[in-house]
Amino acid sequence: MSEVKKGTLSLSRPADVKKSTDSPIGRVRQSFSHGKSKVVTVEVKKRRFIRPAGNVTTKPQSSELKQGDLTSAEMQTRLKVVKDAIKESKEQEERLRLQKEADEKLKRELEEKRKSEENLSEQGNEKKNRDSESASEEKGKRKEKEIGERSFSNNIVKIKESHSKVQPRRGMRSDRYSDSSENEDSFVKTNNSQKKTLAVKKDIKELKGKYSNSSGRISIYNALDEEGEERTRSLSSLRRARQKNKLNASKPQEEIKVVKEVIVPETISVQELSNRMATRTGEVIKCLMKLGMMVTANQIIDADTAELVVSEFGHKIKRVSDSDVELGLKKVDTEEDLKPRPPVVTIMGHVDHGKTSLLDALRKTDVALNEAGGITQGIGAYQVTLKDNRKITFIDTPGHAAFTEMRSRGANVTDVVVLVVAADDSVKDQTIEAIHHAKAAQVPMIVAINKIDKPGANPDKVRKDLMNYEVFVESYGGDVIDVEISAKAKINLDKLEEAILLQAEMLELKANPDRTAEGVVIESKVEKGLGSVATVLINKGTLKIGDIFVSGTVFGKVRGIRNDCREALSELTPGMPGEVIGFNGTTVPGDDFVVVENDAKAREIASYRDRKKREQAWVVSTHTTVEQMFSRLESEEKLKVLSVILKADVQGSSEAISSSLQKLSNDEVAIKIIHSGVGEITESDVVLAKASQAMILGFNVRANLQARDQIARDRLQVRYYSVIYDLIDDMKALLSGMLAPDEKEKVLGSAEVRKTFDISRYGRIAGCMVLDGIVKRGAKARLLRDGIVVHTGVVKSVRHEKDDVKEVRAGFECGICLENYNDIHLKDVIECYEIEEVARQL
C-alpha cells in the first residue's frame, strides 16, 4: 500500500477485497474553502517487477518462474495494449474537442437566429402566430428534454453497470504462470479501469451533447461537470454576455428587398396600392407628396400616377383594364363548324296596315283580336314551320310612333325586313321610319302590299310612293321583291314565304349550334311566381337548361324555357326564339345574352357593367359657367313639374311610354318620371308616390290588394290604361292645364276728346264723343296723342249727362275720368280694351 502523503486523506482496505486478486479501491470526500467539496477515488496499486529480457535468453530457467517475472512475448503484449489505450484516449479527446466546437458553433447559430426572429417579430401581425408557434415548440422541447433526461440517467446507470464488470483474462495458462498471477491480474485490472473511465466519460459527453438545451436554460445535466460537481458562471462572463447582446441589438438589421409584380387597374386607391406593394401607407403618401400630390389614404389615383409610385419603390407594374373581364366573352366560329339556320324576319309598317294580321295568318292564330285597341304594343317573336319542314322566325314590332326604339331593336337583330303597306292607305309616317330603320340595319327588304281585296286598293300607287324614299321594287326595275297579299283573305301568302326563303338562301345564313349560346333580348317582363322573364333570340350556339348567362347588367341561370305557345322546351337552337326564366333582375330589350362558364364570371361582368352605367349617369359637364348655372336655376324655379310613377307589363312598353311622356315637356311644364318598372303596383310604389306627391300610372297592370288599401287610405291618384293613345292624351291634357294661359287683347271702342273740365273732386274730366264700339267703366285705356301712346291706365268713371253709367256706345257723348291722370288735351283719343286669357295647348 502506498503511503498517505497528506493528513487529510486516509484510506482503509475494504473488508471484502481480497489481497491476492483485487486492488484496494476507495472514495474520499475532500473539503475546500467556500463550502465546496469533492469526492476523490483512491486506488492502491502494487509495484510490479519485470524481469529483464536478456535473462530470458541467456540463462537457463527453472521449470517454475518467480512471482512478477514476465517473458518477452508477454512484455510486448502488455506494451502494445498500453500504447493502444493511450492512442485511443488521445483520439477520444480529439473527438470530444471537435464535438465541443461543433456544439458551440450550433449554439451561436441558434442564438443569432433567435435574435433575428425577435427583431422581425416587431413588424406586421405575424407576431402572434410566431409566439404561438414558439410556445408550442418550447413545450415540445421541454417534453423532449424531460424524456431525454430520463433516458440520460438510465443510460448513465447502464454504462456504469456495464463498465463495473471486470472482464476475465483470456488466453493465459494458469498452470505455467501461477507464480505471477497476482501481478498480472493487477496490471490487467489497472488497464481495464483506465479504459472504463474513458468510456464512461465518452458516453456522458455524448449524452450531454445529445440532450443539451440550446435555449440557454440550465438543467441538472449541463450544470454539472464530468465529476458531478455544480457549474457556476462568473459575474464577468455574465456582464460580457449582456454587453454582447446589447451590441447585437443596436446593429441595424438589413432588410431583404423583394421585387413584386403589382397589378394596377385604371383607377386605384392609395390604400389598395400600398397593400399590393406590401408597403406602409404613409410611405406611399410621402412618395406622392414628393411628386406634388397631396392625397389621403382613401383618395383615388389614376394608373399613370400609380405606375410612377410603383417604379419609385422598385417593383414591377402590370397594368390591367376593368374591361378585361369581358375579354373572350364572345367567341369566333370556324367555317367548318357552321350549319344552316332559319332566317329571322321582322315585320314592319304603319299602324293598322295589317302586320299582326299577316303574322296570324301565317301562324293560323288570332293574336290581333287579343291586342288592346287592336294594335300591337310589344315585340313578339314566333317561329313558323312550313309544309316542307323549313322554319322561319318572325318578329312582330308595333307600328305606333311611340315604339320607334323598339322597332329599331327589331331591325338590328333581323336578317330580312318585310315592309307591310296597305294598298288603300299607301305610305305613311311609320312606314317611312321603318324604311329608315331597315336601311340603317343594312338588311334586305321585301315589300308586302296588303289589303288588295279592299275597295279602293291601288298597289301601283304604293310602288310609286316607295320610289320617293329610294325603295325600287322589281316590277319597276329595282332589286326589292314586292308581293301583293291579303292577310284577311289569305291571298298569296305562299308567294310571300317563297320570297322570304329565296332571300334567305341568297344570304347563306349559318351558325354553329355546337357551342355556348349567344343571343339578344327581344322583350322582358315580370311574371308572378316566375320573376323576371325575357324573350331571347339565339344567334349562335345552343341554350340549355342549367346554363349560366349574363345579359347587360343582370345575370342568372336558365331554370326554364318556353316557346310562344307557352310550351316547355329543353333547348333553343340558332334562329329560334323563346322565353327564358331565371333572370335575377329585369333586363333591357336589346341587351346581349351570353352564356359563361361559371357564376363568378357572370357576377363579375354584370358588376362591371352596372358600375360603368352608374358612372355614366353621374357624369356632370365640367365646362358649365356661372351664368349657365344661374340660368338653369331660374328656369327650374319657373318650371312646373308633374311627377308620375309608371308601371307597365313589359319593359319595352315602359320604355316607349317614358320616351313619349318626356317628349311632351317644354320650358314651362315637364313630366318627371320618379320610377318606372315592370309588374304590378306594389306597396313600395304607393309609399314612393305619397312621399314624392306623384301620380301612379298603370299600363296593362293593376295594384295588388295591399296597395289598393293603402291607395284608398292615402287618397292617391291612380290611373289605369290599356291603350297608349289614351295615356298620352291624358298626360298631354294635364300638362296643358298646367301651362300659363295666353293673354289676348280685345279692343272695346274709342272716343275723341272734344272738351275738358277741371273739377276739384274728380280732377280733369274729358268730354268725349264715342267714335266706335263702347266705352266701359273699369276697362283698360290708352291715351293716344297724334297716334302715339302717352299713357296707359284704367277708366275710373263714365258719365252720360248727369248720370254715372257702366258704358256708353258709339254716337253718344260722355264724360270720361282716367284714374290718377289729368294731362288730357283736346283732340286726344281714348282707346278702351280688355285682356282675355286663352288656354294653351301643347
Side-chain angles (χ1 to χ4, degrees), residues 496-510:
L496 179 61
E497 294 174 352
E498 290 177 2
I500 294 172
L501 294 175
L502 177 61
Q503 193 69 55
E505 290 178 1
M506 295 175 61
L507 295 175
E508 295 181 355
L509 303 174
K510 294 182 180 180

Side-chain angles (χ1 to χ4, degrees), residues 356-365 486-488 490 493:
T356 307
S357 299
L358 173 61
L359 186 58
D360 293 341
L362 295 173
R363 297 175 62 218
K364 297 180 181 179
T365 58
S486 175
K488 188 175 182 180
K490 299 182 180 179
L493 297 182

Side-chain angles (χ1 to χ4, degrees), residues 449-485:
I449 304 175
N450 195 19
K451 301 182 181 182
I452 61 173
D453 58 333
K454 290 186 67 175
N458 189 357
D460 290 335
K461 185 178 183 300
V462 174
R463 296 185 179 96
K464 291 177 182 179
D465 291 342
L466 290 174
M467 293 177 65
N468 297 328
Y469 305 100
E470 298 181 356
V471 178
F472 305 100
V473 297
E474 290 182 344
S475 58
Y476 280 23
D479 55 353
V480 179
I481 302 174
D482 63 307
V483 182
E484 296 180 4
I485 64 171

